[in-house]
Amino acid sequence: MPDEDTKIDHYVLEYRRTNFEGPPRAKEDQPWMVVEGIKGTEYTLSGLKFDMKYMNFRVRACNKAVAGEFSEPVTLETR
């Protein structure tokens, strides 16, 4: 977590699903969903369905000029 005196302005969260309606496709074909402008180090993602697997959650910090590198992706499930 960044120190209080860092220049971080906001965070960007990206995720894409593995469970989806329609014909099966490679996971790389799934679009990234983007949540921008997150001001804190915690965020509640709403609209998820129970018993689904979401993959490739990743986050990066941004200041007013540039964005940092994305974090390592993690896989989460809603149970």
Side-chain angles (χ1 to χ4, degrees), residues 13-46:
L13 171 69
E14 291 189 353
Y15 66 98
R16 58 184 173 183
R17 301 185 312 165
T18 58
N19 290 350
F20 54 91
E21 295 178 10
R25 290 178 277 178
K27 62 185 177 184
E28 290 79 23
D29 290 343
Q30 295 301 305
W32 285 104
M33 307 303 287
V34 180
V35 180
E36 296 191 42
I38 299 171
K39 294 294 186 178
T41 56
E42 294 182 14
Y43 181 79
T44 301
L45 186 62
S46 61

Side-chain angles (χ1 to χ4, degrees), residues 1-2 8-13 37-44 59-61:
M1 303 310 271
I8 294 174
D9 180 64
H10 66 279
Y11 297 91
V12 174
L13 171 69
I38 299 171
K39 294 294 186 178
T41 56
E42 294 182 14
Y43 181 79
T44 301
V59 67
R60 67 177 166 182

